[in-house]
Amino acid sequence: MIDFRSAALEYDRIYTAQPLKGVCLFGGEFEPDDYSMVYCGAYFDQLYHIDPNKEGRGTLQVERIEQMLDNIAKEGRTVVFRPVAFDNSLHMDSELVKLLEEDGDLYANGDRKYPNWDNPRLIAYYLDFIKQFGKAYDGDPRIACVQIGLYGAYGEWNYCGVRREHHAYVTMSHEAQVKLVRQYCRYFQKTKIQARNPEMGDTVHAPVGFHDDNFVFNSADYHTPVWDRMMDECTALDGEREGGWYELHDFETSLRRGNLYDRWQTQMMGAEISGVMGFKNAKGEFIYGNMYEGESLQALLFNTTHFHMTFSLGFQRGGGGVPQRGTKQYDNFRYAASVFGYDFMLKEVSLQGQTLDLSLKNYGAAPLYYDWDCELLLTDKDGKPVKSIVKQTNISQLLPMQRMNFSFDLSEINVPAGEYDVLFRIINPLMGENNKGFPLIMSNKIRKDEYAVAGTLILS
């Protein structure tokens, strides 16, 4: 005979970093449990070497990529992977640079060199790199997502430090962009892809998500009297030209123009938030400290819910980022970070004959984006595991404020008579036996580690 007694299923918000949500480290100082993701801007010359004897073909630098991924994954963290070919200077295989020079398609402005981004050799090698990279790493649990779009210009398609007469050289044509985007979509069908904006390479029609640059300042039209005064003071200190940068709102405009407000339901959305807690003026002087931090956090929360972001890049101490642990400001930061992404709670459990039905609700702002397995675990009264049932899920389809049901057949569990605690979790595939890393923790008040306690199973 089988009987079941449900536990009290009450909500309890999780403030520690969760996998694939929260903030993503790319500089400054953090507490070890503030982030589960690490930004990896990997230079192209470290990722791919060409073969001068084979036109359009080269060698993926697997050993180097493995080193990058493993250095981060050994701490249980995932990688936001961004191949970078140009970052104030060219980062390409020396043999490829030599070929571009022979083609007359390498240009110089002082020490800075950049190519004609529509050079046929260059496009062919990029397509080959994407193909090899995707075949080797699509679906790798160490990668949170791959960001594309840093090929045709410095940074996120801006022209920082490039003379106006050279803008055409550092801008890849739309046709070439489309080729690269389509190649990424062809070879990365499991790992999520992010592009800088919908205008690049016809990504508005591609199965990709988007990430913004300096999200709080130029993503949504957030205004309060305190915020506007802060913007005015920054403009006065940095000058009108720099001050205008604080209110571009280009990301919201792009999403509206492309009718992309629902894209978050299936594709991962991210952002860069630099100096969200304070500012440096044009001279590099830190001018505000935490003076306006509360208002910045409100802006962050406004933007997060507005765009259903799963994570953010770019909190850093010293640059206006994460406050010191133990302060009220730090508590505010952790709350803001907890709002990103999914937030799963075991909402209801019942026994129907010999089938245990569980209902999971997403209280977050976005889905998980990957179909991770779930586990039903029976433990004895000493906490020792006695039976584990692992099932595949389609949990990436669990949208905010919706429920998803899971059923487990208990007719053949084959354990001795007695009482057993019933636990439930979603399994982070990056977790190993010796490294718990960052488990996905259920937002249930009664839980054991990452497991929500569903109740007690009585076998007689």
Side-chain angles (χ1 to χ4, degrees):
M1 181 177 176
I2 300 179
D3 197 10
F4 178 76
R5 184 169 63 248
S6 178
L9 302 176
E10 302 175 74
Y11 181 82
D12 182 32
R13 176 180 288 274
I14 306 299
Y15 292 97
T16 56
Q18 298 283 285
L20 302 183
K21 66 172 286 184
V23 298
C24 174
L25 173 66
F26 76 93
E29 299 176 23
F30 283 67
E31 305 298 341
D33 57 354
D34 278 345
Y35 64 102
S36 69
M37 292 173 286
V38 176
Y39 165 74
C40 181
Y43 288 137
F44 193 59
D45 54 5
Q46 298 176 335
L47 304 177
Y48 180 82
H49 290 168
I50 75 162
D51 184 344
N53 299 316
K54 296 180 180 178
E55 187 72 25
R57 292 176 59 187
T59 303
L60 189 70
Q61 299 302 293
V62 174
E63 185 175 342
R64 177 60 178 147
I65 296 173
E66 284 294 308
Q67 183 182 21
M68 295 177 187
L69 296 178
D70 282 344
N71 283 343
I72 296 170
K74 69 182 180 183
E75 302 296 335
R77 296 185 172 91
T78 49
V79 178
V80 173
F81 203 100
R82 186 186 293 184
V84 178
F86 187 85
D87 180 9
N88 256 334
S89 60
L90 204 58
H91 296 281
M92 294 181 185
D93 186 317
S94 58
E95 291 294 330
L96 179 53
V97 173
K98 194 181 301 181
L99 289 175
L100 291 170
E101 196 166 22
E102 290 176 3
D103 290 341
D105 279 340
L106 188 68
Y107 306 94
N109 176 15
D111 293 333
R112 182 182 288 117
K113 294 181 180 180
Y114 37 83
N116 173 2
W117 293 94
D118 290 324
N119 178 281
R121 293 183 197 262
L122 192 54
I123 299 301
Y125 285 123
Y126 275 139
L127 294 175
D128 182 58
F129 159 70
I130 295 168
K131 177 181 179 179
Q132 292 192 45
F133 186 33
K135 282 188 171 183
Y137 289 100
D138 186 28
D140 192 310
R142 296 171 295 180
I143 300 177
C145 66
V146 174
Q147 294 184 329
I148 64 176
L150 298 192
Y151 293 123
Y154 167 74
E156 284 80 0
W157 292 94
N158 61 51
Y159 297 104
C160 182
V162 178
R163 289 161 57 181
R164 184 172 297 278
E165 61 266 31
H166 293 155
H167 283 189
Y169 299 146
V170 297
T171 302
M172 186 182 290
S173 68
H174 177 75
E175 292 74 18
Q177 293 175 19
V178 169
K179 288 181 181 179
L180 297 183
V181 170
R182 288 179 178 174
Q183 189 82 331
Y184 265 111
C185 293
R186 178 181 180 184
Y187 289 101
F188 282 94
Q189 299 192 10
K190 298 175 183 176
T191 299
K192 292 296 180 182
I193 306 169
Q194 286 188 325
R196 169 64 181 90
N197 60 55
E199 280 73 37
M200 193 211 84
D202 202 28
T203 46
V204 66
H205 296 120
V208 303
F210 300 100
H211 65 95
D212 192 20
D213 183 36
N214 289 289
F215 185 57
V216 164
F217 297 126
N218 66 12
S219 294
D221 199 6
Y222 173 86
H223 286 287
T224 68
V226 176
W227 183 263
D228 287 343
R229 185 172 74 250
M230 179 170 64
M231 294 294 100
D232 289 343
E233 293 185 26
C234 288
T235 300
L237 281 164
D238 292 346
E240 289 296 332
R241 181 179 176 185
E242 290 297 316
W245 171 82
Y246 293 128
E247 296 194 43
L248 297 175
H249 309 310
D250 62 332
F251 197 55
E252 182 174 29
T253 301
S254 294
L255 295 184
R256 185 186 296 114
R257 188 161 51 230
N259 194 25
L260 295 169
Y261 276 113
D262 292 333
R263 181 62 65 96
W264 62 270
Q265 294 183 5
T266 57
Q267 302 299 330
M268 184 180 286
M269 306 291 273
E272 175 188 295
I273 302 183
S274 298
V276 68
M277 310 297 181
F279 298 90
K280 287 183 178 180
N281 63 15
K283 296 180 180 180
E285 299 166 333
F286 191 67
I287 57 178
Y288 285 119
N290 286 322
M291 182 177 177
Y292 290 107
E293 187 220 9
E295 196 68 26
S296 294
L297 283 170
Q298 288 186 41
L300 170 59
L301 293 174
F302 173 85
N303 283 294
T304 301
T305 54
H306 192 57
F307 291 112
H308 301 271
M309 313 303 282
T310 186
F311 72 88
S312 163
L313 295 165
F315 289 94
Q316 60 257 32
R317 286 194 194 123
V322 179
Q324 294 290 339
R325 175 168 285 186
T327 64
K328 180 62 176 175
Q329 290 89 349
Y330 180 81
D331 294 340
N332 291 342
F333 153 71
R334 279 266 38 108
Y335 173 77
S338 73
V339 172
F340 287 106
Y342 60 87
D343 183 10
F344 297 146
M345 176 195 175
L346 189 57
K347 186 68 176 177
E348 189 175 353
V349 187
S350 62
L351 184 67
Q352 307 294 332
Q354 294 186 318
T355 300
L356 192 66
D357 294 324
L358 299 89
S359 176
L360 197 66
K361 186 170 182 178
N362 184 359
Y363 283 93
L368 175 61
Y369 293 108
Y370 290 101
D371 287 327
W372 290 355
D373 293 343
C374 68
E375 179 190 22
L376 188 77
L377 179 67
L378 304 185
T379 65
D380 62 23
K381 288 305 175 182
D382 295 324
K384 181 180 178 181
V386 296
K387 183 67 176 181
S388 171
I389 305 174
V390 175
K391 298 182 67 173
Q392 294 180 335
T393 76
N394 60 346
I395 201 165
S396 64
Q397 300 176 28
L398 182 52
L399 299 179
M401 303 312 294
Q402 293 186 5
R403 291 196 188 193
M404 181 170 285
N405 297 321
F406 302 87
S407 296
F408 294 88
D409 183 3
L410 303 180
S411 61
E412 298 182 2
I413 56 175
N414 194 27
V415 296
E419 292 191 2
Y420 299 92
D421 288 334
V422 181
L423 313 179
F424 180 82
R425 68 167 175 161
I426 303 297
I427 305 171
N428 180 354
L430 199 63
M431 291 165 50
E433 292 183 8
N434 299 321
N435 182 12
K436 294 289 283 185
F438 291 85
L440 193 162
I441 304 174
M442 293 288 170
S443 291
N444 283 76
K445 198 165 191 178
I446 303 176
R447 58 180 181 262
K448 292 184 177 179
D449 299 322
E450 69 267 31
Y451 293 89
V453 177
T456 301
L457 189 68
I458 303 102
L459 302 178
S460 59

